């Protein structure tokens, strides 16, 4: 559905993005991650036709972004980080305007506006002025305008920024519901949101793709071991020695629980493809230690993100002084947009 090949955008001597390539299949939700100024917004603005790339190619639903942009725009819904709402208009009035700007008229416009109002949960707010809506409902209005042309592709830039936890949960559920046959690119700084919403993850740093894969594959590739956490009653026994004595155990770390309640917690590193939970439980109880809890511990997306970003930065040369100034201004522009 979306094919990006060697996309590059230069600002003077500095490449905001360089040779960016990735694909998103029909119905997939892609989490597009990166630090501020990494190139996320630049990439999304190129895909939506906001401005051209310096080189490379991009296709949306089989149409070329550079030579067939009008066809691309018919198939894309875009929610920028700062939604340009006309706050003195009613919800329905604004959506009628958005539908008209996207080429709809007459009964087709009315049906489209009624559909998105219901789809994003704005029925009770349809006649209310936008300036009287909460931040969460304003985001829903922004989503509605991106959906009014019933697009095949949704590009969402920080759709939950500034929302409270309840609003974030509502918008997250709405995005998952909206996906279905649609393809979604979701840019966000809230990593748990990606874990709960997205099928694939693409991480970009310093204008280049660092890694792109499914969450499952990224987790497997990020470590050659698995971990379980063990909580025991503290009777003064050397639990660490018991655990380290088990065949296959690679490392045992004592974890600060933050509570003085007579318990101790340990993270035990094991070979990735071996399930040693039974052996661990047997060893602990066999040493007359009270086992209170044992759970598998998965590598988090935050750990994966930091690991890849850090690795990339460790191998990247420092930019020259004049390039640093230009790069910083580019990052500030993108971060504020």
């Amino acid at each position: 559905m979306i094919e990006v090949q060697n996309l590059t955008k230069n600002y003077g001597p500095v490449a905001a993005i360089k040779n960016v390539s990735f694909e998103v299949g029909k119905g997939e939700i892609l989490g597009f991650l990166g630090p501020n100024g990494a190139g996320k917004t630049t990439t999304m603005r190129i895909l939506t036709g906001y401005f051209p790339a310096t080189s490379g190619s991009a296709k949306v639903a089989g149409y070329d972004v550079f030579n067939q942009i009008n066809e691309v725009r018919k198939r894309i819904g875009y929610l920028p980080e700062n939604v340009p709402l006309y706050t003195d208009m009613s919800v329905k009035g604004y959506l009628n305007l958005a539908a008209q700007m996207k080429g709809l008229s007459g009964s087709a416009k009315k049906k489209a506006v009624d559909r998105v109002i219901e789809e994003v949960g704005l029925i009770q707010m349809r006649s209310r002025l936008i300036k009287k809506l909460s931040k969460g409902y304003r985001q829903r209005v922004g989503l509605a305008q991106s959906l009014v042309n019933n697009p095949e592709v949704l590009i969402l830039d920080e759709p939950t920024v500034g929302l409270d936890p309840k609003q974030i949960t509502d918008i997250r559920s709405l995005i998952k519901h909206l996906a279905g046959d649609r393809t979604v690119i979701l840019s966000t700084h809230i990593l748990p949101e990606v874990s709960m919403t997205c099928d694939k993850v693409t991480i970009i740093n310093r204008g280049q793709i660092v890694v792109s894969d499914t969450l499952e594959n990224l987790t497997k590739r990020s470590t050659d071991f698995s971990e379980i956490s063990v909580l025991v009653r503290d009777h003064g026994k050397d639990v660490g020695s018991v655990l380290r004595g088990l065949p296959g155990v690679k490392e045992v770390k004592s974890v600060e629980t933050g509570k003085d309640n007579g318990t101790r917690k340990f993270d035990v590193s094991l070979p990735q493809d071996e399930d040693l939970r039974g052996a661990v439980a047997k060893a602990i109880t066999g040493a007359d230690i009270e086992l209170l809890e044992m759970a598998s511990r998965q590598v988090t997306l935050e750990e994966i993100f930091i690991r890849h970003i850090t690795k990339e930065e460790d191998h990247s040369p420092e930019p020259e002084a004049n390039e640093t100034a230009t790069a910083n201004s580019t990052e500030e522009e993108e971060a504020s947009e």
Side-chain angles (χ1 to χ4, degrees):
M1 183 59 69
I2 299 175
E3 304 172 47
V4 177
Q5 293 292 328
N6 299 319
L7 210 58
T8 296
K9 174 65 176 179
N10 294 328
Y11 292 102
V14 176
I17 58 172
K18 183 177 180 181
N19 296 325
V20 166
S21 299
F22 62 89
E23 294 184 2
V24 194
K26 183 177 180 179
E28 289 183 337
I29 305 178
L30 173 73
F32 199 42
L33 306 177
N36 284 336
K40 303 185 299 299
T41 297
T42 295
T43 303
M44 290 187 288
R45 287 183 171 183
I46 291 172
L47 289 177
T48 57
Y50 186 87
F51 51 51
T54 303
S55 62
S57 64
K59 289 184 178 181
V60 174
Y63 293 94
D64 187 277
V65 169
F66 310 122
N67 299 319
Q68 299 170 294
I69 189 57
N70 288 334
E71 293 298 322
V72 169
R73 285 174 175 158
K74 291 177 184 177
R75 292 159 175 83
I76 279 184
Y78 179 41
L79 178 68
E81 181 177 350
N82 298 310
V83 187
L85 300 175
Y86 296 112
T87 58
D88 286 328
M89 298 183 73
S90 68
V91 170
K92 187 174 182 180
Y94 172 77
L95 293 176
N96 273 321
L97 176 62
Q100 185 175 335
M101 293 175 68
K102 294 185 179 186
L104 299 175
S105 61
S107 61
K109 181 177 73 172
K110 183 180 184 304
K111 288 179 181 178
V113 170
D114 289 342
R115 171 180 55 81
V116 294
I117 284 176
E118 182 176 358
E119 197 168 20
V120 304
L122 286 169
I123 293 176
Q124 303 300 321
M125 305 292 170
R126 61 192 304 157
S127 300
R128 187 168 298 186
L129 293 180
I130 293 173
K131 66 183 176 183
K132 294 186 177 181
L133 298 179
S134 67
K135 173 71 172 177
Y137 275 111
R138 291 189 188 200
Q139 286 296 90
R140 287 174 183 260
V141 175
L143 272 174
Q145 67 78 27
S146 72
L147 290 164
V148 75
N149 58 326
N150 199 22
E152 299 173 57
V153 175
L154 275 177
I155 297 179
L156 311 176
D157 193 357
E158 300 287 351
T160 60
V161 66
L163 303 185
D164 65 36
K166 173 65 166 61
Q167 293 168 338
I168 288 173
T169 301
D170 290 343
I171 295 296
R172 182 189 298 149
S173 298
L174 184 56
I175 291 170
K176 292 194 74 170
H177 170 73
L178 291 174
D181 293 332
R182 297 184 180 97
T183 298
V184 180
I185 295 181
L186 169 65
S187 170
T188 179
H189 286 92
I190 305 174
L191 299 185
E193 187 168 288
V194 175
S195 299
M196 296 178 190
T197 308
C198 300
D199 306 301
K200 294 174 65 176
V201 173
T202 293
I203 298 175
I204 185 171
N205 189 34
R206 296 188 175 186
Q208 295 182 290
I209 299 298
V210 176
V211 66
S212 185
D213 210 334
T214 64
L215 279 168
E216 182 181 359
N217 287 341
L218 279 177
T219 300
K220 289 180 179 178
R221 288 166 52 187
S222 294
T223 180
D224 60 355
F225 60 87
S226 60
E227 284 190 354
I228 59 173
S229 64
V230 176
L231 183 69
V232 299
R233 186 78 65 192
D234 188 2
H235 294 301
K237 297 188 178 182
D238 191 353
V239 183
S241 294
V242 173
L243 294 171
R244 292 185 189 94
L246 286 169
V249 170
K250 294 188 171 186
E251 186 181 7
V252 177
K253 295 180 291 185
S254 180
V255 180
E256 177 62 51
T257 61
K259 297 178 181 179
D260 186 15
N261 59 0
T263 64
R264 297 180 67 189
K265 190 173 184 180
F266 298 86
D267 282 345
V268 185
S269 299
L270 308 168
Q272 190 176 64
D273 298 326
E274 293 188 34
D275 187 352
L276 299 179
R277 287 175 296 176
V280 170
K282 186 175 181 180
I284 291 173
T285 56
D288 199 25
I289 299 168
E290 187 178 355
L291 177 62
L292 301 176
E293 181 182 293
M294 183 167 62
S296 298
R297 180 185 177 278
Q298 299 293 327
V299 178
T300 66
L301 181 57
E302 181 177 352
E303 290 172 318
I304 294 171
F305 178 81
I306 292 174
R307 190 171 300 171
H308 281 287
I309 294 298
T310 302
K311 181 169 64 176
E312 176 71 14
E313 290 177 350
D314 286 345
H315 290 84
S316 297
E318 289 296 322
E320 295 180 5
N322 64 326
E323 291 187 347
T324 301
T326 309
N328 286 340
S329 65
T330 302
E331 290 174 356
E332 290 168 2
E333 174 187 345
E334 182 174 318
S336 65
E337 291 171 339

